[in-house]
Amino acid sequence: MNWLKVEVLVHPEAAEVLSAAMLDLSPSGIQVDEQGRNMLITAYIPDSSFIDDARLTVQDTLLTAASQGLQTGPGLITVTSITDEDWVENYKKHFKPIRIGRFLIKPSWEAVEASPGDLVIRLDPGLAFGTGSHPTTEGCLIFLQEFMTGGETVFDLGTGSGILSIAAAKLGARRVIAIDNDPQAITVARENAEKNGVADKIEFSVADFAAISTIGADLMVANLTAPLIIDFLEDIPGKVQGLKILIASGIMVEQRAGVIRALGKAGFTVEEILTKGEWVSLVSKLV
């Protein structure tokens, strides 16, 4: 079978919206890679007859994002045809074991011996969105290890591949609540949790944060974008009861000051900031 490889170079502000649209196109998942100050999002589509639909979907998503005030950046779309063999090898090229603190994140085909104390997270091909390779996910994983002591209820807003929920469960969370507005992401996240033996600790659901009433959680993690984080902040204290710690990521360096101001207005104090390249992750506590 021939596949279409659809690549879009886009500004980080529009990356999440475009990623969700491209996941609808691709049954195998997507890749998200950093390229300078932009993001390269790649999807694999198994039927070349849909090339026009794929282009239109991407173009419409970029136009919608721009109309919502998001920067779309270059918005360059490249479509190429590849074979099954090329598709598999491309995933294997991109997915290598990653160590982040105690976590060893690995694809199933890599035979890597875990060291004593390692917490192994297994992710398979096609699940590149949220593998730990991007600084935003890495920052969240580092902070989860630093601020979790075990026994917490964790709320994962925009769970994606489920990696942060799985990580929280492996760190000893009593309960994890994970939501995403993309049904396919929830399906993938649930499958990943089952592969890692923590599905019984995580409650996955398709939901928008704006639509939920109230939940109880000690710690919340939001690996989103700066505009989304700022939009949600004022509602968080009222909707997430008992919240003590908020881990926020997906923030570019030039957006950091705006997010910190918004955190202060919503009653949070920033405890720690981690910067890697152009990306910022931070931890704040509710006063």
Side-chain angles (χ1 to χ4, degrees):
M1 180 195 298
N2 285 336
W3 295 73
L4 285 179
K5 181 180 182 181
V6 181
E7 298 174 293
V8 187
L9 189 65
V10 68
H11 189 279
E13 280 194 4
E16 182 175 0
V17 174
L18 185 60
S19 295
M22 291 177 72
L23 276 169
D24 287 338
L25 293 172
S26 173
S28 58
I30 61 174
Q31 290 174 199
V32 181
D33 300 300
E34 190 172 6
Q35 288 207 351
R37 296 175 65 84
N38 295 304
M39 306 298 293
L40 182 66
I41 305 176
T42 306
Y44 296 88
I45 304 172
D47 188 344
S48 60
S49 66
F50 293 118
I51 183 169
D52 291 335
D53 289 342
R55 284 188 182 275
L56 285 172
T57 296
V58 171
Q59 290 167 352
D60 287 348
T61 302
L62 291 174
L63 287 171
T64 300
S67 71
Q68 295 172 345
L70 299 176
Q71 296 187 60
T72 57
L76 298 177
I77 305 169
T78 304
V79 181
T80 54
S81 181
I82 61 173
T83 65
D84 275 345
E85 292 77 12
D86 291 334
W87 181 82
V88 172
E89 288 307 312
N90 189 68
Y91 273 117
K92 290 188 176 181
K93 178 178 69 176
H94 281 81
F95 291 92
K96 299 297 180 182
I98 305 166
R99 287 189 181 274
I100 300 174
R102 295 172 60 197
F103 289 117
L104 172 60
I105 304 160
K106 62 180 292 294
S108 61
W109 65 81
E110 291 279 357
V112 181
E113 186 174 345
S115 301
D118 277 351
L119 298 175
V120 180
I121 297 178
R122 296 173 178 83
L123 298 176
D124 281 333
L127 307 181
F129 189 63
T131 60
S133 61
H134 193 270
T136 61
T137 309
E138 180 181 352
C140 291
L141 290 169
I142 289 171
F143 282 145
L144 282 172
Q145 292 174 81
E146 182 176 349
F147 286 90
M148 282 190 63
T149 58
E152 299 93 344
T153 295
V154 175
F155 177 37
D156 182 8
L157 175 59
T159 191
S161 68
I163 185 172
L164 299 179
S165 291
I166 294 166
K170 285 182 175 283
L171 286 169
R174 179 180 63 84
R175 178 189 182 203
V176 182
I177 304 165
I179 70 171
D180 201 294
N181 59 11
D182 179 5
Q184 186 170 354
I186 290 297
T187 298
V188 168
R190 188 175 286 117
E191 291 172 353
N192 278 335
E194 290 171 353
K195 291 172 186 173
N196 284 277
V198 294
D200 60 328
K201 284 190 172 185
I202 308 173
E203 301 168 21
F204 290 107
S205 62
V206 180
D208 285 305
F209 183 67
I212 66 173
S213 53
T214 59
I215 62 171
D218 306 293
L219 184 149
M220 176 177 176
V221 58
N223 185 16
L224 302 168
T225 64
L228 284 175
I229 292 167
I230 291 171
D231 284 345
F232 291 146
L233 276 176
E234 290 187 359
D235 293 331
I236 288 175
K239 288 195 173 192
V240 188
Q241 298 179 345
L243 183 66
K244 301 178 183 69
I245 295 172
L246 169 64
I247 299 173
S249 194
I251 305 159
M252 298 195 73
V253 169
E254 60 265 31
Q255 299 169 326
R256 176 176 55 193
V259 173
I260 291 174
R261 283 194 299 270
L263 282 163
K265 290 179 181 178
F268 291 88
T269 58
V270 176
E271 296 289 316
E272 194 168 335
I273 299 173
L274 176 65
T275 302
K276 186 171 182 180
E278 297 293 324
W279 296 96
V280 174
S281 304
L282 53 82
V283 176
S284 59
K285 292 186 178 180
L286 196 57
V287 179

